[in-house]
Amino acid sequence: MASGDAPHDVTKHMLGPHVVGQRIVVRRVLPGETGPSGGPALTDVLGVCLSWADGTCVVQREDGTSVAIATADIVSGKPVPPRPPARHRVSAQEAQRRALALWPGLETVPLGDWLLRHSPTSTARRSRSVLAMGPSGVEGDYEQVVAFYERHGARPIAAVLPDSDEDAFFRGRGWVLESHDADTLFQIAGVAAARRALPGYRQARPPVEYDEQGDLVTVRIGDRARGVAAYSDDWVGFRGIEVSPEHRRQGLGLAVMDALLEWGAERGATTAYLQVLGDNTPALALYEQLGFTTHHAYRYLAL
């Protein structure tokens, strides 16, 4: 056995041959270089351990390049969780902006990183609320929010992340929960994985009618079931999945989902999303079957 393969001192680091294939972070010495304090220069490497042998650890960085590190130069290190899929690395604010494709007639006005939303016809909360899931970066943001909705004769509403700084910001000014609804869950899934969960519904799917308007489609199975999807920037979103009461428990909801997923896949979508109340247990169980997981939760506050 080479000297570099000998059992390592676990008080030094948590690495060794057992981490091959895992994502790790390594702090190592840069031989011959001096750090700001006058001691040895150190640097961190994050990536997947490709090999650990002959006194060398090879790590593939997340940009695809690889680096060979002498195990004697490792100061510390440990395994870390796998990198989340790209769709999970999108911020809540960005995910919500993408979901606006489902309401193409919505008026939106940027307020720094916040987004003022208004519709003269829709009564949905998302169509008459400020999207505030992070700092706005604008002075006087609160006063501008209130003034905007006053001009439109609407009660000011804010969509915020639970227990966030924005949640506390609006509550501190007297805002309260807009309703007694549970927090809404923004859920996402891979389109391919969701479609693989539905082969039976595709084979026996009843006739489907498509009403397309640009990148928005309404799918109907007679007068028994319907649903809406929108495509934008590699994402396809769903809303309004409904089955008439007398035709429930016949798989029609999944048949609609299958048709909408197929429509999105034909346009190149790889990520699917939907929004559901957190206490809607039957819907959550259904979407879990298709691989949907919660990206973030949010709630509405009103003045």
Side-chain angles (χ1 to χ4, degrees):
M1 176 182 290
S3 60
D5 297 332
H8 62 273
D9 180 358
V10 295
T11 64
K12 181 180 179 183
H13 59 71
M14 301 169 63
L15 305 177
H18 64 284
V19 301
V20 172
Q22 297 184 44
R23 187 169 181 249
I24 60 174
V25 61
V26 181
R27 172 156 290 190
R28 62 164 177 155
V29 173
L30 292 175
E33 298 188 25
T34 303
S37 64
L42 303 175
T43 189
D44 293 335
V45 179
L46 175 67
V48 176
C49 180
L50 298 181
S51 67
W52 186 290
D54 300 325
T56 302
C57 169
V58 179
V59 178
Q60 184 179 51
R61 297 188 183 97
E62 296 187 343
D63 63 2
T65 62
S66 297
V67 57
I69 304 169
T71 57
D73 292 335
I74 296 176
V75 175
S76 63
K78 63 180 179 180
V80 294
R83 190 182 191 195
R87 62 179 62 98
H88 283 277
R89 299 197 297 273
V90 171
S91 70
Q93 186 85 352
E94 173 60 21
Q96 291 283 343
R97 286 177 180 268
R98 291 181 182 228
L100 293 175
L102 283 165
W103 292 272
L106 200 61
E107 173 192 354
T108 59
V109 179
L111 179 59
D113 287 335
W114 288 1
L115 193 67
L116 299 162
R117 304 178 292 183
H118 174 71
S119 168
T121 57
S122 175
T123 59
R125 292 174 294 185
R126 65 177 53 85
S127 65
R128 49 190 175 92
S129 60
V130 57
L131 185 60
M133 297 183 178
S136 73
V138 173
E139 291 187 12
D141 48 13
Y142 177 77
E143 292 76 14
Q144 293 185 60
V145 168
V146 173
F148 177 84
Y149 289 103
E150 285 181 347
R151 286 197 303 271
H152 287 87
R155 182 188 186 190
I157 300 175
V160 300
L161 300 175
D163 305 317
S164 63
D165 289 344
E166 291 67 42
D167 192 353
F169 175 83
F170 285 101
R171 287 179 184 270
R173 286 159 177 77
W175 294 46
V176 296
L177 288 172
E178 189 269 344
S179 74
H180 296 296
D181 289 345
D183 291 342
T184 302
L185 306 182
F186 190 106
Q187 296 206 308
I188 61 176
V191 169
R195 295 191 71 211
R196 284 196 297 270
L198 288 167
Y201 292 92
R202 188 168 310 117
Q203 296 166 7
R205 195 171 69 198
V208 174
E209 301 173 8
Y210 295 85
D211 180 9
E212 293 187 77
Q213 298 180 358
D215 288 326
L216 190 79
V217 67
T218 300
V219 160
R220 293 183 179 86
I221 300 177
D223 59 358
R224 296 174 290 168
R226 68 183 299 276
V228 177
Y231 170 79
S232 179
D233 194 22
D234 191 37
W235 285 36
V236 60
F238 311 123
R239 65 174 172 86
I241 310 298
E242 301 172 356
V243 179
S244 60
E246 63 272 23
H247 294 292
R248 290 174 183 167
R249 301 187 183 278
Q250 299 176 19
L252 293 177
L254 286 173
V256 168
M257 285 290 296
D258 181 59
L260 296 175
L261 282 162
E262 184 177 63
W263 179 87
E266 289 173 351
R267 279 150 187 78
T270 59
T271 297
Y273 65 89
L274 51 83
Q275 299 173 70
V276 59
L277 290 176
D279 58 0
N280 190 342
T281 303
L284 289 170
L286 171 67
Y287 299 139
E288 184 179 4
Q289 293 178 37
L290 304 183
F292 282 88
T293 57
T294 298
H295 180 278
H296 64 273
Y298 65 97
R299 62 178 50 145
Y300 292 97
L301 301 178
L303 181 60

